[in-house]
Amino acid sequence: MTNPSAPVTNPSADDARPATAGRAPAPGSGQPGADDEAPAETAAVQAEVAAAQAETAAAEAEIAANRAEVAFAQAPATAGGNGDQPLLRLVGLGKNFGPVRALTDIDLDVPAGQVTALVGDNGAGKSTLIKTISGIWQQDHGQILWQGRPVRLHSPKDASELGIATVYQDLALADNLDIVQNMFLGREPVRHWVLDEVTMEKQAKRTLADLSVVTIRSVRQPVGSLSGGQRQAVAVAKAVLRQARLVIMDEPTAALGVTQTRVVLDLIHRLKNQGIAVLVISHNLNDVFEVADRVAVLRLGRLAAVAPLAQLDTESIVDLMTTGTSKRLAAVPAEPSSGSSSEH
């Protein structure tokens, strides 16, 4: 019951307004606010992460494809394959450096168990060719076939896994390390978390003995104390130790004396006798006639001729190097692109 004596009041305008009047509405569903930017930023970060993951997956897929390609090339040929197939075959190989054509349409076979000499004047393309075979550079045209199967060498590691070893003029040896350490550099065997020095030393001695290298006093001798011929022997033994099937030698007798040159030439003969293919670059034609079974002559980035050594002499090789032809030869054609060699 209302007290009649209580004063009667009328609500003012301020009293009629809700409690939240004059305040900014709290952000919520359907209400725009400052926090709306957070979901957009999160989505952008998530998209960036997804793009990075996709890029990583693509790189891993490319690596896996390269490994599969190398493994396929390393697999033994099928029973129906051509038994006369060369170990390495180059078909229409070309390499450009900008507008300069360093190699043009090179067709060359490198059979197993034979020594192929690669000769040519300075700038003929010899170094470019061996660096392409070694995986340092990739060809722009043509194919590289290993045991009849096409391969793409993306790096020197790919070439090494196939069994291609290159001994450059500088030999890539560490003078401050001994012979054993140089031969196993980068692939040292480990036993119980410690370098297996005994196994490395035994394998180094055995490899040098198989190559009849008898001038080295100790496998623990620093490489910096070796002669030029001994250093070449260590570099070749390093390649053989890695089970190379093709050994490429770049000017192996350059700046060597008579005795040291003999050591290197004997090494090449022993590699051949072990069934290893050898590709030798040399300016010394006397060395070429000493060890080669076949000669490939390069001139201005093109293959002038490929022929058995018996069909050539010093004058004809010089003619081919300087003019691309020789009147002393009735016909010494370069090997056809089909790869069918005339002297298997």
Side-chain angles (χ1 to χ4, degrees):
M1 182 174 177
T2 305
N3 186 356
S5 62
V8 178
T9 59
N10 293 325
S12 65
D14 289 340
D15 294 333
R17 289 185 302 177
T20 58
R23 301 178 188 174
S29 60
Q31 296 291 335
D35 291 343
D36 284 347
E37 296 178 1
E41 292 180 0
T42 302
V45 171
Q46 290 175 343
E48 185 176 352
V49 171
Q53 291 175 341
E55 185 176 354
T56 301
E60 291 176 348
E62 184 177 358
I63 292 173
N66 293 341
R67 289 177 177 173
E69 187 177 3
V70 171
F72 178 76
Q74 289 176 321
T78 59
N82 183 3
D84 292 335
Q85 194 74 250
L87 182 66
L88 175 71
R89 171 169 291 167
L90 310 179
V91 181
L93 198 72
K95 177 63 182 175
N96 301 333
F97 294 98
V100 178
R101 285 193 174 186
L103 298 173
T104 304
D105 295 333
I106 302 297
D107 296 332
L108 177 65
D109 287 356
V110 181
Q114 293 190 27
V115 179
T116 302
L118 185 63
V119 299
D121 206 351
N122 291 334
K126 303 184 300 297
S127 295
T128 302
L129 182 60
I130 66 168
K131 288 180 179 179
T132 304
I133 298 173
S134 302
I136 295 178
W137 293 326
Q138 296 181 35
Q139 75 270 22
D140 296 310
H141 310 285
Q143 283 188 320
I144 298 176
L145 288 85
W146 184 259
Q147 292 183 293
R149 298 185 174 97
V151 295
R152 187 80 177 181
L153 304 177
H154 299 273
S155 68
K157 185 175 183 294
D158 291 344
S160 178
E161 289 178 350
L162 284 179
I164 301 173
T166 305
V167 180
Y168 294 100
Q169 284 183 266
D170 60 6
L171 303 181
L173 298 176
D175 289 347
N176 61 317
L177 301 180
D178 62 34
I179 294 172
V180 175
Q181 292 169 330
N182 269 280
M183 290 177 64
F184 284 90
L185 189 60
R187 53 188 297 273
E188 297 87 348
V190 177
R191 185 178 183 184
H192 303 306
W193 306 100
V194 179
L195 290 180
D196 192 350
E197 298 282 356
V198 174
T199 298
M200 289 192 293
E201 188 167 326
K202 287 181 178 179
Q203 291 185 8
K205 288 180 178 178
R206 185 184 308 116
T207 304
L208 290 170
D210 290 342
L211 293 172
S212 299
V213 179
V214 296
T215 60
I216 291 177
R217 172 170 45 84
S218 169
V219 292
R220 289 301 180 181
Q221 186 176 351
V223 165
S225 66
L226 300 178
S227 68
Q230 290 171 330
R231 290 166 62 87
Q232 280 282 355
V234 172
V236 171
K238 181 178 179 179
V240 173
L241 187 64
R242 299 191 177 191
Q243 299 181 339
R245 303 179 62 189
L246 167 62
V247 176
I248 303 172
M249 304 181 71
D250 186 9
E251 298 287 354
T253 60
L256 295 184
V258 176
T259 303
Q260 297 171 356
T261 296
R262 172 48 53 190
V263 171
V264 175
L265 297 182
D266 289 344
L267 276 173
I268 295 174
H269 281 298
R270 293 188 188 102
L271 291 175
K272 171 186 172 181
N273 293 336
Q274 292 181 10
I276 298 173
V278 182
L279 181 62
V280 178
I281 294 178
S282 181
H283 281 98
N284 192 324
L285 295 185
N286 291 328
D287 293 347
V288 169
F289 280 93
E290 172 75 21
V291 298
D293 298 296
R294 309 160 64 251
V295 179
V297 183
L298 278 176
R299 180 178 181 273
L300 300 179
R302 294 181 179 271
L303 198 59
V306 180
L309 186 68
Q311 295 183 10
L312 300 169
D313 56 20
T314 302
E315 290 77 8
S316 60
I317 292 178
V318 172
D319 288 343
L320 291 167
M321 289 170 54
T322 54
T323 67
T325 60
S326 176
K327 295 180 179 179
R328 299 177 62 87
L329 300 175
V332 184
E335 293 180 349
S337 59
S338 61
S340 56
S341 177
S342 60
E343 55 320 328
H344 282 303

Short mmCIF file of all heavy atoms in Angstrom, two decimals, residues 41-82:
data_model
loop_
_atom_site.label_atom_id
_atom_site.label_comp_id
_atom_site.label_asym_id
_atom_site.label_seq_id
_atom_site.Cartn_x
_atom_site.Cartn_y
_atom_site.Cartn_z
N GLU A 41 45.35 -11.47 -39.61
CA GLU A 41 46.80 -11.67 -39.50
C GLU A 41 47.14 -13.14 -39.33
O GLU A 41 48.11 -13.64 -39.91
CB GLU A 41 47.33 -10.86 -38.32
CG GLU A 41 47.27 -9.35 -38.52
CD GLU A 41 47.82 -8.61 -37.32
OE1 GLU A 41 48.24 -9.29 -36.36
OE2 GLU A 41 47.82 -7.37 -37.35
N THR A 42 46.35 -13.85 -38.53
CA THR A 42 46.59 -15.28 -38.33
C THR A 42 46.46 -16.05 -39.64
O THR A 42 47.28 -16.93 -39.95
CB THR A 42 45.59 -15.83 -37.30
OG1 THR A 42 45.74 -15.12 -36.08
CG2 THR A 42 45.83 -17.32 -37.06
N ALA A 43 45.44 -15.71 -40.42
CA ALA A 43 45.26 -16.38 -41.71
C ALA A 43 46.43 -16.11 -42.64
O ALA A 43 46.89 -17.01 -43.36
CB ALA A 43 43.95 -15.92 -42.35
N ALA A 44 46.94 -14.88 -42.60
CA ALA A 44 48.09 -14.55 -43.47
C ALA A 44 49.32 -15.35 -43.05
O ALA A 44 50.06 -15.87 -43.90
CB ALA A 44 48.38 -13.06 -43.40
N VAL A 45 49.55 -15.47 -41.73
CA VAL A 45 50.70 -16.24 -41.25
C VAL A 45 50.55 -17.71 -41.63
O VAL A 45 51.49 -18.37 -42.07
CB VAL A 45 50.85 -16.09 -39.73
CG1 VAL A 45 51.90 -17.07 -39.19
CG2 VAL A 45 51.24 -14.66 -39.38
N GLN A 46 49.34 -18.25 -41.46
CA GLN A 46 49.10 -19.65 -41.82
C GLN A 46 49.32 -19.89 -43.31
O GLN A 46 49.88 -20.91 -43.71
CB GLN A 46 47.68 -20.04 -41.43
CG GLN A 46 47.47 -20.13 -39.91
CD GLN A 46 46.02 -20.40 -39.55
OE1 GLN A 46 45.12 -20.24 -40.37
NE2 GLN A 46 45.80 -20.82 -38.31
N ALA A 47 48.91 -18.94 -44.14
CA ALA A 47 49.14 -19.08 -45.58
C ALA A 47 50.62 -19.05 -45.92
O ALA A 47 51.09 -19.81 -46.77
CB ALA A 47 48.40 -17.96 -46.33
N GLU A 48 51.37 -18.19 -45.21
CA GLU A 48 52.81 -18.12 -45.45
C GLU A 48 53.50 -19.42 -45.04
O GLU A 48 54.38 -19.92 -45.74
CB GLU A 48 53.39 -16.94 -44.68
CG GLU A 48 54.88 -16.68 -44.96
CD GLU A 48 55.38 -15.45 -44.26
OE1 GLU A 48 54.55 -14.72 -43.69
OE2 GLU A 48 56.60 -15.22 -44.28
N VAL A 49 53.08 -19.98 -43.90
CA VAL A 49 53.64 -21.26 -43.45
C VAL A 49 53.32 -22.37 -44.43
O VAL A 49 54.16 -23.20 -44.77
CB VAL A 49 53.12 -21.60 -42.04
CG1 VAL A 49 53.50 -23.02 -41.65
CG2 VAL A 49 53.65 -20.61 -41.02
N ALA A 50 52.09 -22.39 -44.92
CA ALA A 50 51.70 -23.41 -45.89
C ALA A 50 52.52 -23.30 -47.18
O ALA A 50 52.93 -24.31 -47.76
CB ALA A 50 50.21 -23.30 -46.20
N ALA A 51 52.77 -22.06 -47.61
CA ALA A 51 53.58 -21.88 -48.82
C ALA A 51 55.00 -22.37 -48.60
O ALA A 51 55.60 -23.01 -49.47
CB ALA A 51 53.57 -20.40 -49.22
N ALA A 52 55.57 -22.10 -47.41
CA ALA A 52 56.93 -22.57 -47.11
C ALA A 52 56.98 -24.09 -47.07
O ALA A 52 57.91 -24.72 -47.57
CB ALA A 52 57.40 -21.98 -45.79
N GLN A 53 55.94 -24.71 -46.48
CA GLN A 53 55.89 -26.17 -46.43
C GLN A 53 55.78 -26.76 -47.83
O GLN A 53 56.40 -27.79 -48.13
CB GLN A 53 54.72 -26.61 -45.56
CG GLN A 53 54.90 -26.31 -44.06
CD GLN A 53 53.67 -26.65 -43.25
OE1 GLN A 53 52.56 -26.77 -43.78
NE2 GLN A 53 53.85 -26.79 -41.94
N ALA A 54 54.99 -26.13 -48.68
CA ALA A 54 54.87 -26.62 -50.06
C ALA A 54 56.19 -26.51 -50.81
O ALA A 54 56.57 -27.41 -51.56
CB ALA A 54 53.77 -25.84 -50.79
N GLU A 55 56.92 -25.40 -50.57
CA GLU A 55 58.21 -25.22 -51.23
C GLU A 55 59.21 -26.28 -50.75
O GLU A 55 59.96 -26.85 -51.55
CB GLU A 55 58.74 -23.82 -50.93
CG GLU A 55 60.03 -23.48 -51.67
CD GLU A 55 60.48 -22.06 -51.42
OE1 GLU A 55 59.71 -21.31 -50.78
OE2 GLU A 55 61.58 -21.69 -51.86
N THR A 56 59.20 -26.56 -49.44
CA THR A 56 60.09 -27.60 -48.90
C THR A 56 59.75 -28.96 -49.48
O THR A 56 60.63 -29.74 -49.84
CB THR A 56 59.97 -27.63 -47.37
OG1 THR A 56 60.33 -26.36 -46.84
CG2 THR A 56 60.89 -28.69 -46.78
N ALA A 57 58.45 -29.26 -49.56
CA ALA A 57 58.04 -30.55 -50.12
C ALA A 57 58.46 -30.69 -51.58
O ALA A 57 58.89 -31.76 -52.02
CB ALA A 57 56.51 -30.70 -50.00
N ALA A 58 58.37 -29.58 -52.34
CA ALA A 58 58.78 -29.63 -53.74
C ALA A 58 60.28 -29.88 -53.85
O ALA A 58 60.74 -30.65 -54.70
CB ALA A 58 58.41 -28.33 -54.44
N ALA A 59 61.07 -29.23 -52.97
CA ALA A 59 62.52 -29.45 -52.99
C ALA A 59 62.86 -30.89 -52.63
O ALA A 59 63.73 -31.52 -53.25
CB ALA A 59 63.21 -28.48 -52.03
N GLU A 60 62.17 -31.44 -51.63
CA GLU A 60 62.42 -32.83 -51.24
C GLU A 60 62.03 -33.78 -52.36
O GLU A 60 62.71 -34.79 -52.59
CB GLU A 60 61.65 -33.16 -49.96
CG GLU A 60 62.17 -32.43 -48.72
CD GLU A 60 61.32 -32.70 -47.50
OE1 GLU A 60 60.21 -33.25 -47.66
OE2 GLU A 60 61.76 -32.36 -46.38
N ALA A 61 60.96 -33.47 -53.06
CA ALA A 61 60.55 -34.32 -54.17
C ALA A 61 61.58 -34.30 -55.29
O ALA A 61 61.87 -35.33 -55.91
CB ALA A 61 59.18 -33.87 -54.70
N GLU A 62 62.17 -33.11 -55.54
CA GLU A 62 63.20 -33.02 -56.58
C GLU A 62 64.44 -33.82 -56.20
O GLU A 62 65.02 -34.52 -57.03
CB GLU A 62 63.57 -31.55 -56.80
CG GLU A 62 64.58 -31.35 -57.94
CD GLU A 62 64.88 -29.89 -58.18
OE1 GLU A 62 64.27 -29.05 -57.50
OE2 GLU A 62 65.71 -29.59 -59.05
N ILE A 63 64.82 -33.74 -54.91
CA ILE A 63 65.98 -34.52 -54.44
C ILE A 63 65.70 -36.01 -54.58
O ILE A 63 66.56 -36.78 -55.02
CB ILE A 63 66.29 -34.15 -52.98
CG1 ILE A 63 66.81 -32.70 -52.90
CG2 ILE A 63 67.32 -35.11 -52.39
CD1 ILE A 63 66.99 -32.20 -51.48
N ALA A 64 64.49 -36.43 -54.20
CA ALA A 64 64.14 -37.84 -54.32
C ALA A 64 64.14 -38.30 -55.77
O ALA A 64 64.59 -39.41 -56.09
CB ALA A 64 62.76 -38.08 -53.70
N ALA A 65 63.69 -37.43 -56.67
CA ALA A 65 63.69 -37.78 -58.09
C ALA A 65 65.11 -37.93 -58.61
O ALA A 65 65.42 -38.85 -59.38
CB ALA A 65 62.93 -36.72 -58.90
N ASN A 66 66.01 -37.03 -58.18
CA ASN A 66 67.41 -37.13 -58.60
C ASN A 66 68.04 -38.42 -58.10
O ASN A 66 68.77 -39.09 -58.83
CB ASN A 66 68.20 -35.93 -58.07
CG ASN A 66 67.77 -34.63 -58.71
OD1 ASN A 66 67.15 -34.64 -59.77
ND2 ASN A 66 68.10 -33.51 -58.09
N ARG A 67 67.75 -38.78 -56.84
CA ARG A 67 68.31 -40.01 -56.29
C ARG A 67 67.77 -41.23 -57.03
O ARG A 67 68.49 -42.20 -57.28
CB ARG A 67 67.98 -40.11 -54.80
CG ARG A 67 68.76 -39.11 -53.95
CD ARG A 67 68.33 -39.18 -52.49
NE ARG A 67 69.13 -38.28 -51.67
CZ ARG A 67 68.88 -38.05 -50.39
NH1 ARG A 67 67.87 -38.65 -49.79
NH2 ARG A 67 69.66 -37.21 -49.71
N ALA A 68 66.48 -41.18 -57.36
CA ALA A 68 65.90 -42.31 -58.10
C ALA A 68 66.52 -42.44 -59.48
O ALA A 68 66.77 -43.55 -59.97
CB ALA A 68 64.38 -42.11 -58.22
N GLU A 69 66.82 -41.28 -60.10
CA GLU A 69 67.44 -41.31 -61.42
C GLU A 69 68.84 -41.91 -61.36
O GLU A 69 69.22 -42.74 -62.20
CB GLU A 69 67.51 -39.89 -61.98
CG GLU A 69 67.99 -39.80 -63.41
CD GLU A 69 67.97 -38.38 -63.93
OE1 GLU A 69 67.63 -37.48 -63.16
OE2 GLU A 69 68.29 -38.17 -65.11
N VAL A 70 69.60 -41.52 -60.31
CA VAL A 70 70.94 -42.08 -60.14
C VAL A 70 70.87 -43.57 -59.85
O VAL A 70 71.62 -44.37 -60.39
CB VAL A 70 71.69 -41.33 -59.02
CG1 VAL A 70 72.99 -42.04 -58.67
CG2 VAL A 70 71.98 -39.90 -59.43
N ALA A 71 69.94 -43.97 -58.97
CA ALA A 71 69.80 -45.39 -58.65
C ALA A 71 69.41 -46.20 -59.88
O ALA A 71 69.88 -47.33 -60.08
CB ALA A 71 68.74 -45.56 -57.55
N PHE A 72 68.55 -45.64 -60.72
CA PHE A 72 68.17 -46.33 -61.94
C PHE A 72 69.36 -46.53 -62.87
O PHE A 72 69.55 -47.58 -63.47
CB PHE A 72 67.07 -45.53 -62.65
CG PHE A 72 66.63 -46.13 -63.97
CD1 PHE A 72 65.82 -47.24 -64.01
CD2 PHE A 72 67.06 -45.58 -65.17
CE1 PHE A 72 65.42 -47.79 -65.22
CE2 PHE A 72 66.68 -46.13 -66.38
CZ PHE A 72 65.84 -47.23 -66.39
N ALA A 73 70.21 -45.48 -62.95
CA ALA A 73 71.39 -45.59 -63.81
C ALA A 73 72.40 -46.59 -63.25
O ALA A 73 73.12 -47.24 -64.00
CB ALA A 73 72.05 -44.22 -63.96
N GLN A 74 72.45 -46.72 -61.91
CA GLN A 74 73.39 -47.64 -61.31
C GLN A 74 72.93 -49.09 -61.40
O GLN A 74 73.73 -50.01 -61.29
CB GLN A 74 73.60 -47.29 -59.83
CG GLN A 74 74.39 -46.01 -59.62
CD GLN A 74 74.50 -45.66 -58.17
OE1 GLN A 74 73.54 -45.83 -57.41
NE2 GLN A 74 75.64 -45.17 -57.75
N ALA A 75 71.63 -49.30 -61.61
CA ALA A 75 71.11 -50.66 -61.66
C ALA A 75 71.69 -51.41 -62.86
O ALA A 75 71.96 -50.83 -63.91
CB ALA A 75 69.58 -50.63 -61.77
N PRO A 76 71.91 -52.72 -62.71
CA PRO A 76 72.47 -53.47 -63.83
C PRO A 76 71.54 -53.49 -65.02
O PRO A 76 70.32 -53.45 -64.89
CB PRO A 76 72.66 -54.88 -63.24
CG PRO A 76 71.74 -54.93 -62.06
CD PRO A 76 71.67 -53.55 -61.53
N ALA A 77 72.13 -53.55 -66.20
CA ALA A 77 71.32 -53.57 -67.42
C ALA A 77 70.55 -54.86 -67.52
O ALA A 77 70.93 -55.89 -66.98
CB ALA A 77 72.23 -53.41 -68.64
N THR A 78 69.44 -54.84 -68.22
CA THR A 78 68.64 -56.03 -68.39
C THR A 78 69.34 -57.01 -69.31
O THR A 78 70.24 -56.67 -70.06
CB THR A 78 67.27 -55.65 -69.00
OG1 THR A 78 67.49 -55.00 -70.25
CG2 THR A 78 66.53 -54.70 -68.06
N ALA A 79 68.88 -58.26 -69.24
CA ALA A 79 69.53 -59.30 -70.02
C ALA A 79 69.43 -59.04 -71.50
O ALA A 79 70.29 -59.45 -72.28
CB ALA A 79 68.89 -60.65 -69.68
N GLY A 80 68.40 -58.32 -71.90
CA GLY A 80 68.23 -58.05 -73.32
C GLY A 80 68.98 -56.85 -73.80
O GLY A 80 68.88 -56.46 -74.96
N GLY A 81 69.79 -56.23 -72.91
CA GLY A 81 70.52 -55.03 -73.30
C GLY A 81 71.65 -55.34 -74.24
O GLY A 81 72.06 -56.48 -74.44
N ASN A 82 72.21 -54.29 -74.79
CA ASN A 82 73.30 -54.43 -75.73
C ASN A 82 74.60 -54.66 -74.97
O ASN A 82 75.04 -53.82 -74.19
CB ASN A 82 73.41 -53.14 -76.58
CG ASN A 82 74.49 -53.25 -77.63
OD1 ASN A 82 75.13 -54.29 -77.77
ND2 ASN A 82 74.69 -52.18 -78.37
#
